[in-house]
Amino acid sequence: MSDVRHVLVLPDRDAAEEVAHALAERFAVDEEPRIVRDALAGEDDAEDAQWLVVLRDEEERLDPAELDAFAAEWEGWREEP
């Protein structure tokens, strides 16, 4: 088993939460993705933050291009490793 993770970058918390819930339906993931707030150093304003959805894919069964297109539905993208 590998330690492959996909990181989807979303513009706000609502989008990140929707993506995390929709991943189970669309891609049949077993484990709940983690949601992480990512802000530049010194940035306290939530408007300046990005939200990350971190998804483990140890079996490497998820297609990165499909995940990128999926995140784009919420104005996000998949971060390249």
Side-chain angles (χ1 to χ4, degrees):
M1 251 187 231
S2 67
D3 189 29
V4 173
R5 294 171 198 247
H6 300 284
V7 177
L8 306 181
V9 182
L10 286 302
D12 57 55
R13 183 181 186 141
D14 291 338
E17 289 176 349
E18 288 179 30
V19 165
H21 293 300
L23 278 165
E25 292 177 20
R26 177 84 62 94
F27 295 98
V29 296
D30 298 328
E31 185 176 321
E32 175 108 11
R34 283 189 1 203
I35 299 174
V36 180
R37 180 178 182 266
D38 182 35
L40 298 173
E43 294 290 338
D44 292 329
D45 188 357
E47 302 257 337
D48 294 326
Q50 293 178 326
W51 290 82
L52 310 178
V53 176
V54 181
L55 176 66
R56 289 176 46 177
D57 184 19
E58 294 173 347
E59 297 175 10
E60 298 184 50
R61 64 180 188 80
L62 300 174
D63 180 4
E66 286 182 33
L67 287 172
D68 193 34
F70 177 73
E73 294 175 25
W74 284 270
E75 298 180 14
W77 66 90
R78 182 180 127 341
E79 188 74 22
E80 288 294 326

